[in-house]
Amino acid sequence: MHSILLLSALALAQTPTDNTPVQPRNPDEILAAQHAAYDAIANVPRETPTTRVARAVQPSVVFIETEGSRMVRRGPFGSTTIPVQGAGTGVVVHEDGYVITNYHVVRGARRIQVSFAGEPVRHLAELLSYREAEDLALLRITNKGSLDPAHSANTSEEQPLGLTSAGIVRRAPKVIDIPPRPYPAVRMGTSSDLMVGEVVVAVGNPHGQQHTVSNGIVSGLHRDIQAQNLLFRDLIQTDASINLGNSGGPLLNIRGELIGINTVMNVSAENIGFAIPVDRVRDVLEDELFPSAHRAWIGIDLGEGQTVTSVVAGSPAAQAGLCAGDRILSIADRPAASPVDWTHASLQLTPGAPSILMVQRGPQEVRMTLIPWSKSSGILWKHLGLRVREVASGRTPYIVVTAVREGGPAADIGAQIGDLIPAVRPMEAGSRPASLVRNRRDLAAIVESMTTGTMLEIDIYRDDDRNQEYGYEELYKGALLKH
């Protein structure tokens, strides 16, 4: 206690009592020190790995805007439709303009537009295919679009769309033709070797702030998350900022390679976001989204080395002269000698439009002209052995058989050209009741959903008395086996 009191007394004794002001540092010294500090960092590179990634990937990232509608109640007596808008992000995965994004970004949209950073054009895009359980969708950029209003000098050419629910006239920019061009695609990486703590970069359009870049780290791996009525498994967790509008955008490693698609965030916490691993994205693209996106059907199966293993009898390929053993070289003037090249080249085929097919047959290259069918026509021909077209009997639409493949399921039950098909019913466990069939797409969708080897009960009207009228006595029933 004595020593403590002594120290306190000494401290009091040393305290100035004359209020002498403390002398500041020499201002010249302060300025000189500051200048020296700035000189020392003047040549420090401002470019960082994040800036390099942002510059590399920016041409591949698109801002997605959607327009749709939804029903809302207007008091106790009814409801009305109101317009809704949405936004998100996507990334180009092939130079032909194929874009991957989250399905929830474009679900229910009647109009989809995409735009690139620094460009005055908004491209119209079409939804080609989706996998709702994985929350992934494949878009294609079209050759139609509009000028961004901020860049359009002549807004008088805008076209009225009508009145909104608030009574205000809405206008849409004039649609213009956009010259086709290759689109820069993101470089694909792998998610199989990700490390917790690894630096990552997220690019997106949070809250409409276009082409925003943020960085962070991989905070965790193999996360299972319940969101949007879906269970997401094996996600990447990151603390890079992922907000509303980032959905569908790329998560990249420090080499600028795609390692995930940003999909969900934890709204109750900060800096917790999740991305779908790129390896799963790649599998869904190759196994589901790209195959489902085909509009045309030619009727072949391919094996190793792009060798034709089978040709469906009577199909476009058979009509063109393609044979088992032929090796595909190109189609529609595009190389198709690898599975990836074939996938993207065949996506360009249009039903009914002739395309040149080049194949290797023994030592010779053979050129042939191929006229693809629609995908729905191909499904019916391959699995049921028939082709149909839409007709109307009175006010009721039906489909009528226009061709029957010899030896096919339809031929086996005696189906004939001219038969009308009003309804079908899959005969498998848990199947739904009979469905009315109004067009070939309806029938194709039912057939495609069935398991190979199951039966399809089918109703057929046949004009036996040739009076162009169909009575109950002219109704036949049969069952087709899906091949």
Side-chain angles (χ1 to χ4, degrees):
M1 176 63 75
H2 177 73
S3 60
I4 293 175
L5 291 174
L6 179 61
L7 289 173
S8 298
L10 289 173
L12 289 171
Q14 294 173 358
T15 301
T17 59
D18 57 357
N19 296 322
T20 303
V22 177
Q23 293 296 321
R25 291 177 55 195
N26 187 319
D28 292 337
E29 292 180 357
I30 296 174
L31 291 174
Q34 183 187 42
H35 290 320
Y38 269 119
D39 290 342
I41 60 176
N43 296 320
V44 173
R46 291 167 51 205
E47 187 178 64
T48 66
T50 299
T51 63
R52 298 188 190 105
V53 171
R55 186 165 56 247
V57 77
Q58 185 184 58
S60 301
V61 178
V62 297
F63 176 41
I64 299 176
E65 299 171 280
T66 64
E67 296 177 13
S69 61
R70 64 184 176 89
M71 297 291 293
V72 295
R73 293 194 62 82
R74 292 290 190 187
F77 302 109
S79 59
T80 187
T81 301
I82 64 170
V84 293
Q85 296 180 324
T89 307
V91 61
V92 177
V93 292
H94 191 272
E95 65 177 15
D96 286 335
Y98 294 102
V99 173
I100 190 77
T101 186
N102 287 144
Y103 176 56
H104 76 260
V105 170
V106 295
R107 181 174 47 222
R110 68 170 184 271
R111 180 184 176 94
I112 303 171
Q113 295 184 118
V114 302
S115 55
F116 293 87
E119 293 190 8
V121 174
R122 292 175 174 173
H123 301 256
L124 289 175
E126 56 181 335
L127 174 62
L128 295 180
S129 55
Y130 62 88
R131 176 82 165 103
E132 186 170 11
E134 299 285 356
D135 196 26
L136 291 171
L138 181 66
L139 311 180
R140 176 162 51 194
I141 300 172
T142 72
N143 295 329
K144 299 288 185 180
S146 62
L147 290 178
D148 189 314
H151 295 83
S152 179
N154 185 5
T155 57
S156 63
E157 293 186 347
E158 291 182 342
Q159 302 168 346
L161 286 183
L163 299 178
T164 67
S165 57
I168 301 173
V169 175
R170 299 175 60 237
R171 296 181 179 274
K174 181 182 178 181
V175 175
I176 61 174
D177 292 323
I178 301 174
R181 64 178 175 93
Y183 297 92
V186 70
R187 184 172 294 177
M188 303 288 275
T190 180
S191 50
S192 63
D193 59 0
L194 293 179
M195 301 172 285
V196 173
E198 180 177 350
V199 175
V200 292
V201 178
V203 184
N205 304 283
H207 303 285
Q209 303 303 308
Q210 298 184 27
H211 305 287
T212 298
V213 177
S214 62
N215 64 0
I217 62 170
V218 174
S219 307
L221 297 169
H222 314 299
R223 303 300 199 216
D224 296 342
I225 301 295
Q226 182 80 39
Q228 303 160 5
N229 298 319
L230 296 174
L231 177 60
F232 295 91
R233 295 189 179 278
D234 201 34
L235 297 184
I236 303 166
Q237 180 184 334
T238 178
D239 66 353
S241 295
I242 297 178
N243 299 299
L244 294 174
N246 276 100
S247 293
L251 186 68
L252 308 131
N253 63 21
I254 210 62
R255 296 173 179 169
E257 298 168 332
L258 183 69
I259 58 169
I261 295 296
N262 301 322
T263 187
V264 293
M265 62 179 179
N266 188 333
V267 295
S268 62
E270 292 186 2
N271 301 325
I272 298 181
F274 301 92
I276 304 170
V278 71
D279 290 348
R280 187 151 87 247
V281 173
R282 184 186 289 107
D283 289 343
V284 173
L285 274 171
E286 294 177 356
D287 297 342
E288 299 184 51
L289 296 185
F290 275 126
S292 298
H294 283 89
R295 296 174 296 170
W297 181 82
I298 62 174
I300 62 172
D301 290 317
L302 295 175
E304 292 186 6
Q306 294 304 97
T307 299
V308 178
T309 57
S310 64
V311 179
V312 178
S315 67
Q319 293 173 5
L322 200 61
C323 300
D326 290 343
R327 186 167 66 87
I328 304 293
L329 300 176
S330 67
I331 189 167
D333 297 322
R334 299 182 58 137
S338 73
V340 173
D341 287 343
W342 168 257
T343 294
H344 294 296
S346 58
L347 278 168
Q348 307 303 312
L349 298 179
T350 301
S355 295
I356 301 301
L357 178 67
M358 295 295 298
V359 302
Q360 185 81 35
R361 182 174 291 170
Q364 296 182 329
E365 290 188 2
V366 179
R367 173 190 173 102
M368 56 189 70
T369 300
L370 185 73
I371 304 178
W373 294 351
S374 69
K375 182 179 178 181
S376 56
S377 292
I379 290 171
L380 299 180
W381 188 256
K382 178 179 180 180
H383 297 296
L384 301 185
L386 55 77
R387 294 190 72 185
V388 299
R389 63 180 175 86
E390 291 82 10
V391 297
S393 177
R395 295 185 177 181
T396 306
Y398 292 109
I399 56 174
V400 62
V401 176
T402 59
V404 178
R405 189 178 79 232
E406 184 178 352
D412 290 344
I413 67 166
Q416 299 177 8
I417 295 174
D419 287 348
L420 262 64
I421 303 176
V424 297
R425 184 179 69 85
M427 300 171 63
E428 53 186 343
S431 63
R432 57 191 177 189
S435 301
L436 296 178
V437 180
R438 303 307 189 196
N439 54 62
R440 68 171 173 262
R441 291 182 299 277
D442 290 347
L443 181 55
I446 293 170
V447 172
E448 193 172 28
S449 68
M450 294 170 53
T451 305
T452 300
T454 56
M455 304 295 289
L456 178 70
E457 187 178 65
I458 184 170
D459 291 349
I460 288 178
Y461 280 113
R462 181 171 297 162
D463 190 13
D464 291 325
D465 54 15
R466 299 293 189 266
N467 65 353
Q468 297 184 344
E469 294 181 358
Y470 300 91
Y472 184 76
E473 68 279 1
E474 295 176 309
L475 176 64
Y476 296 81
K477 290 184 177 290
L480 297 168
L481 178 67
K482 178 182 176 180
H483 284 190

